[in-house]
Amino acid sequence: MDLGILGKKALVCASSKGLGFGCAVALANAGVDVTMCARNEGQLIEAGKKIRKVGVQATIVVCDITTQDGVERVLEKIPNPDILINNAGGPPPGSWETWTNDDFLSAIQSNMLTPIKLIQRVLPSMIENRWGRIVNITSGAVKAPIPALGLSNTARAGLTGFVAGVSRQVAKYGISINNALPGVHDTDRIKGFDETMAKSLNISIEEAREKKALSIPVGRYGDADEFGNICAFLCSQHASFIIGQNIVIDGGAINATI
Ligand code: NAP
């Protein structure tokens, strides 16, 4: 399918690997030039090379996107993106008794205030251009909260609330803002969780993966490419009537009708 976004320019945050990289690849395959960022330089350089091989431009910015400096440095390279993919690392798991005020502030900064800030910064030019696409990578935990991920549940709920309002305010300018909610996708973040699960159940990592995969109706983990392709569709010309939605991409793991 022609996504109709050839020649557009995208900012894909936190994109040297995992879901962010999957989105960058899918957008590049649709002919979109991509600006990417991550903290680890080596991995980001390699990711940029892979994107350029597709035949589009890839600009890389080594930064922590959750800082003011990171936001400024990225926007210096791409002040007026047509497409914004908001992403950052997720907060660590834990338990309600031990989370401190600083833990909450850090999660809120990474997974709520940073994406909100970027949305605020890119919207004026999207409004002027009468076209824009924003996809926020959040989590299935927004719809079905995971107790150990309370920091994530809290911060992402705030972003989801903001998006619900602003997406409807700017829809008349040809701007579509939505959230993509991953379930379990085979990335390094999930590998870390699998290791923890294996240790706590005293089983091998392979057994932990198998156990988790069985809890997903599709019977397997998702991958970053299929996640990226859905994200690219949400950035396409065809997505102009999809506004303020929370699209769950989880192989059916959340058992809910709506
Ligand atoms: P991942 O495989 O660990 O990749 C994270 C990417 O983000 C890397 O490129 C990393 O590079 C970059 N990054 C992290 N923190 C950053 C920062 N502060 N500034 C700039 N770049 C940063 O993680 P993932 O699985 O793709 O997850 C992406 C997001 O989706 C996370 O918020 C995660 O909680 C959420 N999520 C994922 C799943 C899943 O199944 N994978 C499920 C639910 C929610 P550097 O480390 O070099 O910065």
Side-chain angles (χ1 to χ4, degrees):
M1 181 191 286
D2 178 5
L3 297 185
I5 49 177
L6 179 83
K8 299 276 187 202
K9 300 201 177 322
L11 166 55
V12 186
C13 299
S15 49
S16 64
K17 61 177 182 171
L19 303 181
F21 182 67
C23 294
V25 170
L27 288 169
N29 283 333
V32 174
D33 292 329
V34 178
T35 298
M36 312 161 75
C37 75
R39 295 162 301 179
N40 178 312
E41 184 174 25
Q43 205 154 35
L44 186 59
I45 288 174
E46 289 311 309
K49 281 183 191 161
K50 286 184 194 154
I51 295 293
R52 281 181 213 108
K53 277 195 185 140
V54 177
V56 298
Q57 288 178 28
T59 305
I60 60 167
V61 185
V62 179
C63 71
D64 181 341
I65 193 62
T66 68
T67 64
Q68 187 64 35
D69 175 65
V71 167
E72 297 306 334
R73 290 191 25 236
V74 161
L75 290 178
E76 214 169 90
K77 295 282 181 198
I78 180 165
N80 304 313
D82 303 299
I83 294 167
L84 165 66
I85 310 299
N86 267 319
N87 186 31
S95 189
W96 63 271
E97 314 93 309
T98 54
W99 289 320
T100 64
N101 205 51
D102 283 349
D103 293 332
F104 280 106
L105 288 178
S106 166
I108 287 168
Q109 178 64 27
S110 299
N111 301 109
M112 177 184 159
L113 294 179
T114 297
I116 288 176
K117 187 181 298 169
L118 282 161
I119 291 171
Q120 288 175 311
R121 292 287 292 273
V122 304
L123 274 180
S125 65
M126 288 182 177
I127 290 172
E128 207 176 306
N129 295 337
R130 295 293 192 267
W131 199 93
R133 296 286 183 268
I134 300 176
V135 176
N136 305 295
I137 300 179
T138 64
S139 172
V142 169
K143 239 184 164 88
I146 300 166
L149 292 179
L151 296 172
S152 169
N153 301 338
T154 305
R156 297 189 201 277
L159 173 63
T160 305
F162 173 77
V163 167
V166 73
S167 60
R168 288 163 174 94
Q169 287 175 307
V170 301
K172 62 184 173 216
Y173 302 114
I175 299 167
S176 163
I177 311 179
N178 293 288
N179 303 315
L181 282 56
V184 177
H185 297 258
D186 203 358
T187 66
D188 284 356
R189 177 166 167 89
I190 292 298
K191 280 189 188 104
F193 288 159
D194 289 347
E195 280 165 23
T196 310
M197 180 178 167
K199 248 185 224 156
S200 75
L201 296 178
N202 202 20
I203 55 177
S204 69
I205 294 175
E206 292 68 33
E207 284 170 322
R209 276 178 67 97
E210 222 168 277
K211 211 172 159 54
K212 208 186 279 177
L214 279 176
S215 71
I216 304 169
V218 167
R220 63 168 176 85
Y221 287 14
D223 69 38
D225 287 338
E226 61 194 344
F227 184 89
N229 285 329
I230 291 160
C231 178
F233 177 78
L234 290 173
C235 297
S236 74
Q237 297 293 1
H238 313 298
S240 56
F241 215 56
I242 305 176
I243 304 294
Q245 297 303 302
N246 291 284
I247 312 291
V248 178
I249 305 157
D250 73 344
I254 296 174
N255 186 6
T257 48
I258 44 175

Coordinates of all heavy atoms in Angstrom, one line a residue, residues 107-175:
A107 N 9.9 9.4 36.0 CA 9.0 8.8 35.0 C 8.1 9.8 34.3 O 7.9 9.7 33.1 CB 8.1 7.7 35.8
I108 N 7.6 10.7 35.0 CA 6.7 11.7 34.4 C 7.5 12.6 33.4 O 7.0 12.9 32.4 CB 6.0 12.6 35.6 CG1 5.0 11.7 36.3 CG2 5.4 13.9 35.0 CD1 4.4 12.3 37.6
Q109 N 8.7 12.9 33.8 CA 9.6 13.7 32.9 C 9.8 12.9 31.6 O 9.7 13.5 30.5 CB 10.9 14.0 33.5 CG 11.9 14.7 32.7 CD 11.4 16.1 32.3 OE1 10.6 16.7 33.0 NE2 11.8 16.6 31.2
S110 N 10.1 11.6 31.7 CA 10.4 10.8 30.5 C 9.2 10.5 29.6 O 9.3 10.6 28.4 CB 11.1 9.5 30.9 OG 12.2 9.7 31.6
N111 N 8.2 10.1 30.3 CA 7.1 9.4 29.5 C 5.8 10.3 29.5 O 4.8 9.8 28.9 CB 6.8 8.1 30.1 CG 8.0 7.1 30.1 OD1 8.6 6.8 31.1 ND2 8.4 6.7 28.9
M112 N 5.9 11.5 30.1 CA 4.7 12.4 30.0 C 5.1 13.8 29.5 O 4.7 14.2 28.5 CB 4.0 12.4 31.3 CG 2.8 13.4 31.3 SD 2.1 13.4 33.0 CE 1.2 15.0 32.9
L113 N 6.0 14.4 30.3 CA 6.3 15.8 30.0 C 7.1 16.0 28.7 O 6.9 17.0 28.0 CB 7.0 16.5 31.2 CG 6.1 16.6 32.5 CD1 6.9 17.3 33.6 CD2 4.8 17.4 32.2
T114 N 8.0 15.1 28.5 CA 8.9 15.2 27.3 C 8.0 15.1 26.0 O 8.1 15.9 25.1 CB 10.0 14.2 27.3 OG1 10.9 14.5 28.4 CG2 10.8 14.3 26.0
P115 N 7.2 14.0 25.9 CA 6.3 14.0 24.7 C 5.4 15.1 24.6 O 5.1 15.6 23.5 CB 5.6 12.6 24.8 CG 5.9 12.1 26.2 CD 7.1 12.8 26.7
I116 N 4.9 15.6 25.7 CA 4.0 16.7 25.7 C 4.7 18.0 25.2 O 4.2 18.7 24.3 CB 3.3 17.0 27.1 CG1 2.3 15.9 27.4 CG2 2.7 18.4 27.1 CD1 1.7 16.0 28.8
K117 N 5.9 18.2 25.7 CA 6.7 19.3 25.2 C 7.0 19.3 23.7 O 6.8 20.2 23.0 CB 8.1 19.3 26.0 CG 8.9 20.5 25.7 CD 10.2 20.5 26.4 CE 10.1 20.4 28.0 NZ 11.3 20.0 28.7
L118 N 7.3 18.1 23.2 CA 7.6 17.9 21.8 C 6.3 18.2 21.0 O 6.4 18.8 19.9 CB 8.2 16.6 21.5 CG 9.7 16.5 21.9 CD1 10.1 15.0 22.0 CD2 10.6 17.2 20.8
I119 N 5.2 17.7 21.5 CA 4.0 18.0 20.8 C 3.7 19.5 20.7 O 3.4 20.0 19.6 CB 2.8 17.2 21.5 CG1 2.9 15.7 21.3 CG2 1.4 17.7 20.9 CD1 2.0 14.9 22.1
Q120 N 3.9 20.1 21.8 CA 3.7 21.6 21.9 C 4.6 22.3 20.9 O 4.2 23.3 20.3 CB 3.9 22.1 23.3 CG 2.8 21.7 24.3 CD 3.1 22.2 25.7 OE1 4.2 22.0 26.2 NE2 2.2 22.9 26.3
R121 N 5.8 21.8 20.8 CA 6.8 22.5 19.9 C 6.5 22.3 18.4 O 6.8 23.2 17.6 CB 8.2 22.1 20.3 CG 8.7 22.5 21.7 CD 9.0 24.0 21.8 NE 10.2 24.3 21.0 CZ 11.4 24.3 21.4 NH1 11.6 23.9 22.7 NH2 12.4 24.6 20.7
V122 N 6.0 21.1 18.1 CA 5.9 20.9 16.6 C 4.5 21.2 16.1 O 4.4 21.4 14.9 CB 6.2 19.4 16.3 CG1 7.6 19.0 16.7 CG2 5.2 18.4 16.8
L123 N 3.6 21.4 17.0 CA 2.2 21.6 16.5 C 2.1 23.0 15.7 O 1.4 23.0 14.6 CB 1.2 21.6 17.6 CG 0.6 20.2 17.9 CD1 -0.4 20.3 19.1 CD2 0.0 19.6 16.7
P124 N 2.7 24.1 16.1 CA 2.5 25.3 15.3 C 2.8 25.2 13.9 O 2.1 25.6 13.0 CB 3.4 26.3 16.1 CG 3.5 25.8 17.5 CD 3.5 24.3 17.3
S125 N 3.9 24.5 13.5 CA 4.3 24.4 12.1 C 3.4 23.4 11.4 O 3.0 23.5 10.2 CB 5.7 24.0 11.9 OG 6.0 22.7 12.4
M126 N 2.9 22.4 12.1 CA 2.0 21.4 11.5 C 0.7 22.1 11.2 O 0.0 21.9 10.1 CB 1.7 20.2 12.4 CG 2.9 19.3 12.5 SD 2.5 17.8 13.6 CE 4.0 16.9 13.5
I127 N 0.3 23.0 12.1 CA -1.0 23.8 11.9 C -0.8 24.7 10.7 O -1.7 24.7 9.8 CB -1.3 24.6 13.2 CG1 -1.8 23.6 14.3 CG2 -2.4 25.6 12.8 CD1 -2.0 24.3 15.6
E128 N 0.3 25.3 10.6 CA 0.6 26.2 9.4 C 0.6 25.4 8.1 O 0.0 25.9 7.1 CB 2.0 26.8 9.6 CG 2.1 28.2 9.0 CD 3.5 28.8 9.3 OE1 3.8 28.9 10.5 OE2 4.2 29.1 8.3
N129 N 1.2 24.2 8.2 CA 1.2 23.4 7.0 C -0.1 22.6 6.7 O -0.2 22.0 5.6 CB 2.3 22.3 7.1 CG 3.7 22.9 7.2 OD1 3.9 24.0 6.7 ND2 4.6 22.2 7.8
R130 N -1.0 22.7 7.6 CA -2.3 22.0 7.5 C -2.1 20.5 7.3 O -2.8 19.8 6.5 CB -3.1 22.6 6.3 CG -3.6 24.0 6.5 CD -4.6 24.0 7.7 NE -5.3 25.3 7.9 CZ -4.9 26.3 8.7 NH1 -3.8 26.2 9.4 NH2 -5.7 27.4 8.8
W131 N -1.1 20.0 7.9 CA -0.8 18.5 7.8 C 0.2 18.1 9.0 O 1.2 18.9 9.2 CB -0.2 18.1 6.5 CG -0.3 16.6 6.2 CD1 -1.3 16.1 5.5 CD2 0.6 15.6 6.6 NE1 -1.1 14.7 5.4 CE2 0.0 14.4 6.1 CE3 1.7 15.5 7.4 CZ2 0.6 13.1 6.3 CZ3 2.3 14.2 7.6 CH2 1.7 13.1 7.1
G132 N -0.1 17.0 9.6 CA 0.8 16.5 10.6 C 0.4 15.2 11.1 O -0.8 14.9 11.1
R133 N 1.4 14.4 11.6 CA 1.1 13.1 12.2 C 1.9 13.0 13.4 O 3.1 13.2 13.4 CB 1.4 12.0 11.2 CG 0.6 11.9 10.0 CD -0.9 11.4 10.2 NE -1.6 11.4 9.0 CZ -2.4 12.3 8.5 NH1 -2.5 13.5 9.1 NH2 -3.0 12.1 7.3
I134 N 1.3 12.6 14.5 CA 2.0 12.4 15.8 C 1.6 11.0 16.3 O 0.4 10.8 16.5 CB 1.8 13.5 16.8 CG1 2.3 14.8 16.3 CG2 2.5 13.1 18.1 CD1 2.0 16.0 17.2
V135 N 2.6 10.2 16.6 CA 2.3 8.9 17.3 C 3.1 8.8 18.5 O 4.3 9.0 18.5 CB 2.6 7.7 16.3 CG1 2.3 6.4 17.1 CG2 1.7 7.7 15.1
N136 N 2.5 8.6 19.6 CA 3.2 8.4 20.9 C 3.2 6.9 21.2 O 2.2 6.2 21.3 CB 2.4 9.1 22.0 CG 2.2 10.6 21.7 OD1 3.1 11.3 21.6 ND2 0.9 10.9 21.5
I137 N 4.5 6.4 21.4 CA 4.6 5.0 21.8 C 4.4 5.0 23.3 O 5.1 5.6 24.1 CB 6.0 4.4 21.5 CG1 6.2 4.5 19.9 CG2 6.1 3.0 22.0 CD1 7.6 4.0 19.5
T138 N 3.3 4.4 23.7 CA 3.0 4.3 25.2 C 3.1 2.9 25.6 O 4.2 2.3 25.6 CB 1.6 5.0 25.5 OG1 0.5 4.2 24.9 CG2 1.6 6.4 25.0
S139 N 2.0 2.3 26.0 CA 2.1 0.9 26.5 C 0.7 0.3 26.6 O -0.2 1.0 27.0 CB 2.8 0.9 27.8 OG 2.7 -0.4 28.4
G140 N 0.6 -1.0 26.5 CA -0.6 -1.7 26.8 C -1.0 -1.5 28.2 O -2.2 -1.6 28.5
A141 N -0.1 -1.1 29.0 CA -0.3 -0.9 30.5 C -1.2 0.3 30.7 O -1.8 0.5 31.8 CB 1.0 -0.7 31.2
V142 N -1.4 1.1 29.6 CA -2.4 2.3 29.7 C -3.8 1.7 29.8 O -4.6 2.2 30.6 CB -2.2 3.2 28.5 CG1 -3.4 4.2 28.5 CG2 -0.9 3.9 28.5
K143 N -4.0 0.7 29.1 CA -5.4 0.1 29.0 C -5.6 -1.0 30.1 O -6.6 -1.1 30.7 CB -5.6 -0.6 27.7 CG -6.8 0.0 26.9 CD -7.1 -0.7 25.6 CE -8.5 -0.3 25.2 NZ -8.6 0.9 24.4
A144 N -4.5 -1.8 30.4 CA -4.6 -2.8 31.4 C -3.4 -2.7 32.3 O -2.3 -3.3 32.0 CB -4.6 -4.2 30.7
P145 N -3.4 -1.8 33.3 CA -2.3 -1.5 34.1 C -1.6 -2.7 34.7 O -2.2 -3.6 35.1 CB -2.8 -0.6 35.2 CG -4.1 0.0 34.6 CD -4.6 -1.0 33.7
I146 N -0.2 -2.7 34.6 CA 0.6 -3.8 35.2 C 1.1 -3.3 36.5 O 1.8 -2.3 36.6 CB 1.8 -4.1 34.2 CG1 1.2 -4.5 32.8 CG2 2.7 -5.1 34.8 CD1 2.3 -4.5 31.7
P147 N 0.7 -3.9 37.6 CA 1.1 -3.4 39.0 C 2.5 -3.0 39.1 O 2.9 -2.0 39.7 CB 0.6 -4.5 39.9 CG -0.5 -5.1 39.2 CD -0.2 -5.1 37.7
A148 N 3.4 -3.9 38.7 CA 4.9 -3.6 38.9 C 5.4 -2.4 38.1 O 6.4 -1.9 38.3 CB 5.7 -4.9 38.5
L149 N 4.6 -2.0 37.1 CA 5.0 -0.9 36.3 C 4.2 0.4 36.6 O 3.8 1.1 35.8 CB 4.8 -1.2 34.8 CG 5.7 -2.3 34.2 CD1 5.5 -2.6 32.8 CD2 7.2 -1.9 34.4
G150 N 4.0 0.5 37.9 CA 3.2 1.7 38.4 C 3.7 3.0 38.0 O 2.9 3.9 37.7
L151 N 5.0 3.1 37.9 CA 5.6 4.4 37.4 C 5.2 4.7 36.0 O 4.8 5.8 35.6 CB 7.1 4.4 37.5 CG 7.7 4.3 39.0 CD1 9.2 4.1 38.9 CD2 7.3 5.5 39.8
S152 N 5.2 3.7 35.2 CA 4.8 3.8 33.8 C 3.3 4.0 33.7 O 2.9 4.9 32.9 CB 5.2 2.5 33.0 OG 4.6 2.4 31.8
N153 N 2.5 3.2 34.4 CA 1.1 3.4 34.4 C 0.7 4.9 34.6 O -0.2 5.5 34.0 CB 0.4 2.5 35.4 CG 0.7 1.1 35.3 OD1 1.0 0.6 34.2 ND2 0.5 0.3 36.4
T154 N 1.3 5.4 35.6 CA 1.0 6.8 36.1 C 1.4 7.8 35.0 O 0.5 8.7 34.7 CB 1.8 7.1 37.4 OG1 1.5 6.1 38.3 CG2 1.4 8.4 38.0
A155 N 2.6 7.8 34.6 CA 3.1 8.8 33.6 C 2.3 8.7 32.3 O 1.9 9.7 31.7 CB 4.6 8.6 33.4
R156 N 2.1 7.5 31.8 CA 1.5 7.3 30.5 C 0.0 7.7 30.6 O -0.5 8.1 29.6 CB 1.7 5.9 30.0 CG 3.2 5.6 29.8 CD 3.4 4.3 29.1 NE 4.7 3.6 29.2 CZ 5.8 3.9 28.5 NH1 5.7 4.9 27.6 NH2 6.9 3.2 28.7
A157 N -0.6 7.5 31.7 CA -2.0 7.9 31.8 C -2.1 9.4 31.7 O -3.0 9.9 31.0 CB -2.5 7.5 33.2
G158 N -1.1 10.1 32.2 CA -1.1 11.6 32.0 C -1.0 12.0 30.6 O -1.7 12.9 30.1
L159 N -0.1 11.4 29.9 CA 0.1 11.7 28.4 C -1.2 11.3 27.7 O -1.6 12.1 26.8 CB 1.3 10.9 27.9 CG 1.5 11.0 26.4 CD1 1.8 12.4 25.9 CD2 2.6 10.0 25.9
T160 N -1.8 10.2 28.0 CA -3.0 9.8 27.3 C -4.1 10.8 27.5 O -4.8 11.1 26.5 CB -3.4 8.4 27.8 OG1 -2.3 7.5 27.7 CG2 -4.6 7.8 27.0
G161 N -4.2 11.3 28.7 CA -5.2 12.3 28.9 C -5.0 13.6 28.1 O -5.9 14.2 27.5
F162 N -3.7 14.0 28.0 CA -3.4 15.2 27.3 C -3.7 15.0 25.8 O -4.3 15.9 25.1 CB -1.9 15.5 27.4 CG -1.4 16.6 26.6 CD1 -1.7 18.0 26.9 CD2 -0.6 16.3 25.4 CE1 -1.2 19.0 26.0 CE2 -0.2 17.4 24.6 CZ -0.5 18.7 24.9
V163 N -3.3 13.8 25.3 CA -3.5 13.6 23.8 C -5.0 13.5 23.5 O -5.4 14.0 22.4 CB -2.8 12.2 23.5 CG1 -3.3 11.7 22.1 CG2 -1.3 12.4 23.5
A164 N -5.8 13.0 24.4 CA -7.3 12.9 24.2 C -7.8 14.3 23.9 O -8.7 14.4 23.0 CB -8.0 12.3 25.4
G165 N -7.3 15.3 24.6 CA -7.9 16.6 24.4 C -7.3 17.3 23.2 O -8.0 17.7 22.3
V166 N -5.9 17.4 23.1 CA -5.3 18.2 22.1 C -5.5 17.6 20.7 O -5.6 18.3 19.7 CB -3.8 18.3 22.4 CG1 -3.0 17.1 22.2 CG2 -3.2 19.5 21.6
S167 N -5.6 16.3 20.6 CA -5.8 15.6 19.3 C -7.1 16.1 18.6 O -7.2 16.3 17.4 CB -5.8 14.1 19.4 OG -6.9 13.7 20.2
R168 N -8.1 16.4 19.5 CA -9.4 16.8 18.9 C -9.4 18.3 18.6 O -10.1 18.8 17.8 CB -10.5 16.4 19.9 CG -10.7 14.9 19.8 CD -11.5 14.3 21.0 NE -11.7 12.9 20.7 CZ -11.0 11.9 21.1 NH1 -9.9 12.1 21.9 NH2 -11.3 10.6 20.8
Q169 N -8.5 19.0 19.3 CA -8.4 20.5 19.1 C -7.7 20.8 17.8 O -8.0 21.8 17.1 CB -7.6 21.2 20.2 CG -8.4 21.3 21.5 CD -7.5 21.8 22.6 OE1 -6.5 21.3 22.9 NE2 -8.0 22.9 23.3
V170 N -6.8 19.9 17.4 CA -6.0 20.2 16.1 C -6.4 19.4 14.9 O -5.8 19.5 13.9 CB -4.5 20.1 16.4 CG1 -4.0 21.0 17.5 CG2 -4.1 18.7 16.7
A171 N -7.4 18.5 15.1 CA -7.8 17.6 14.0 C -8.2 18.4 12.8 O -8.0 18.0 11.6 CB -8.9 16.7 14.5
K172 N -8.8 19.6 13.0 CA -9.3 20.4 11.9 C -8.2 20.9 11.0 O -8.5 21.4 9.9 CB -10.2 21.5 12.4 CG -9.5 22.5 13.2 CD -10.5 23.6 13.8 CE -9.8 24.4 14.8 NZ -10.6 24.9 15.9
Y173 N -7.0 20.8 11.4 CA -5.9 21.3 10.6 C -5.2 20.2 9.9 O -4.1 20.4 9.4 CB -4.8 22.0 11.5 CG -5.4 23.2 12.3 CD1 -5.5 23.1 13.7 CD2 -5.8 24.3 11.7 CE1 -6.0 24.2 14.4 CE2 -6.3 25.4 12.4 CZ -6.4 25.3 13.8 OH -6.9 26.4 14.5
G174 N -5.8 19.1 9.8 CA -5.2 17.9 9.1 C -4.2 17.2 9.9 O -3.3 16.6 9.3
I175 N -4.3 17.4 11.2 CA -3.3 16.7 12.1 C -3.9 15.6 12.8 O -5.0 15.7 13.4 CB -2.7 17.8 13.1 CG1 -2.0 18.9 12.3 CG2 -1.8 17.1 14.1 CD1 -1.7 20.1 13.2

